[in-house]
């Protein structure tokens, strides 16, 4: 059974950095496109960044470009999101998603993890950026 497990959330001051992780269990990360989404209360979940299943392509929403970096460690079966120059508006619950042979799509600054097959989601971790 495929599962994704997020870790590394917490409280950080504005302007600081945080690296969050997502470990894929029950599958080979090289077969999965993986993405970070985030959600704040009373708003829809939005895609932040996506990494293609072959690891060659990265996608970012406009607010994340230049500040966030998505990457993965194949040996650890883990994806990361390095977040720098954090802003209070980055405060949200961050969710990891994975789709086998899925695709990352980006249009007009909106990032989507697109998959015909079911996607797998973690429970989410809280990232809070204080002033």
């Amino acid at each position: 059974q495929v599962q994704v497990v997020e870790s590394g959330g917490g409280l950080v001051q504005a302007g600081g950095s945080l690296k969050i992780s997502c470990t894929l269990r029950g599958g080979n990360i090289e077969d999965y496109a993986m993405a970070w989404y985030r959600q704040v209360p009373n708003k829809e979940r939005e895609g932040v960044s996506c990494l293609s299943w072959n690891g060659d392509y990265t996608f970012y929403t406009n607010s994340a470009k230049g500040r966030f970096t998505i990457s993965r460690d194949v040996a650890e079966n883990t994806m990361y999101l390095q977040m720098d120059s954090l802003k209070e508006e980055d405060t949200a619950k961050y969710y990891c998603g994975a789709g086998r042979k899925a695709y990352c799509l980006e249009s007009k600054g909106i990032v989507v993890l697109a998959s015909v097959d079911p996607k797998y989601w973690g429970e989410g971790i809280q990232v809070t950026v204080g002033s």
Side-chain angles (χ1 to χ4, degrees), residues 67-114:
R67 299 189 300 125
F68 294 2
T69 304
I70 193 170
S71 63
R72 71 182 186 184
D73 184 327
V74 172
E76 297 293 327
N77 232 36
T78 298
M79 175 189 67
Y80 303 97
L81 186 68
Q82 175 69 44
M83 302 184 289
D84 299 319
S85 301
L86 282 161
K87 304 175 182 179
E88 290 184 60
E89 50 262 44
D90 294 317
T91 294
K93 194 164 188 179
Y94 284 70
Y95 296 87
C96 173
R100 191 175 186 281
K101 301 299 186 183
Y103 291 91
C104 299
L105 302 176
E106 187 272 329
S107 177
K108 297 181 180 180
I110 298 174
V111 171
V112 174
L113 176 64

Side-chain angles (χ1 to χ4, degrees), residues 8-27:
L11 173 65
V12 63
Q13 293 301 305
S17 298
L18 192 67
K19 189 174 186 178
I20 56 178
S21 305
C22 172
T23 298
L24 179 69
R25 297 176 177 171

Side-chain angles (χ1 to χ4, degrees), residues 6-7 14 19 22 30 33 42 53 57 62 64 77 87 98 103 113 127:
E6 305 103 335
S7 61
K19 189 174 186 178
C22 172
E30 293 180 290
N42 302 318
W53 60 265
Y57 301 100
N62 286 341
N77 232 36
K87 304 175 182 179
Y103 291 91
L113 176 64
V127 172

Side-chain angles (χ1 to χ4, degrees), residues 8-71:
L11 173 65
V12 63
Q13 293 301 305
S17 298
L18 192 67
K19 189 174 186 178
I20 56 178
S21 305
C22 172
T23 298
L24 179 69
R25 297 176 177 171
N28 184 343
I29 199 170
E30 293 180 290
D31 292 331
Y32 286 77
M34 297 184 71
W36 288 100
Y37 278 63
R38 66 187 180 188
Q39 189 171 23
V40 297
N42 302 318
K43 284 195 173 183
E44 289 190 4
R45 194 176 295 188
E46 65 168 355
V48 176
S49 183
C50 190
L51 179 64
S52 63
W53 60 265
N54 60 6
D56 288 344
Y57 301 100
T58 58
F59 301 81
Y60 300 93
T61 190
N62 286 341
S63 64
K65 287 178 183 175
R67 299 189 300 125
F68 294 2
T69 304
I70 193 170
S71 63

